[in-house]
Amino acid sequence: MKPKKLPAYGRQLKRQRDSGQHPDRVWVLCGDDWGRRPRNEVSLCVEAGYRVGTYDWSLVAGVPVHVVERGDVDAVRLAAEIARFATSVTIHWRAGPDEVFCQAGRARQEDISDIAWCQRQQVDGVLRWPDWWSDTLESEYRARRKAWHRALVEDLVQQHEQVAV
C-alpha cells in the first residue's frame, strides 16, 4: 500500500516536529482560497477536491487543529479525519442563508464532536452517529481532549506556583 502524502506545507511541520518543535496549534485551510494564511502560525492547506484518506494527519498528533472552510469542500469529513490524531478540532466557516441561529455571512465555529453529536439520526429507535463518526472515535477524541485540557491546567498551576515563590 502506497504511503499517504502530507498536505500542502506539511513537510515543514514534519521537520519542525521531528526536531522537537511542537506548535501550540495548527490551522488547516481547506478549499480553493489559500490566501490569508495565519501569520506566525503553522498552517496546512487542502484543496477543495480532496478525498478522505489521501493525507497523513499523524503530523498533528497531540495538537489542537482549526479547520477553516474556504470554498466548496466537505470540511466536516476532513475535520473528522483529522480528529483521529488531534487533541481538538474546531471548524470555522461563514454561515449560509439556511442556518437557523446565525445571520448569513457571519463567522461561525464549532468543535467536530459537537457537530457529530448534533447530526445523529434515529435509526430503529437508536440514535446513530453520522457515517464519518463513531462511538470509538468519540471516546478516543474525548479522552485526548480531556488529557490535553488537564495538561494545560497543570502547566498553568505550575507557572502560577513558580511566580508565587
Side-chain angles (χ1 to χ4, degrees), residues 4 11 25 59 74 91 97 104 109 119-120 139 141 143 147:
K4 293 180 182 181
R11 284 189 197 99
R25 70 178 150 234
L59 74 162
D74 193 345
I91 302 178
Q109 69 179 40
Q119 289 190 10
R120 295 173 306 151
S139 175
Y141 179 78

Side-chain angles (χ1 to χ4, degrees), residues 62-127:
V63 177
V65 174
H66 294 263
V67 174
V68 180
E69 180 184 285
R70 291 192 178 158
D72 189 22
V73 66
D74 193 345
V76 170
R77 286 187 187 277
L78 172 63
E81 186 175 14
I82 293 169
R84 294 180 55 231
F85 301 96
T87 57
S88 66
V89 181
T90 303
I91 302 178
H92 302 262
W93 74 97
R94 294 273 173 206
D98 58 340
E99 292 196 39
V100 178
F101 299 109
C102 191
Q103 181 182 11
R106 300 284 306 253
R108 299 287 314 268
Q109 69 179 40
E110 197 68 57
D111 186 87
I112 185 61
S113 177
D114 294 338
I115 291 172
W117 181 264
C118 291
Q119 289 190 10
R120 295 173 306 151
Q121 298 285 323
Q122 263 237 17
V123 178
D124 297 327
V126 177
L127 280 173

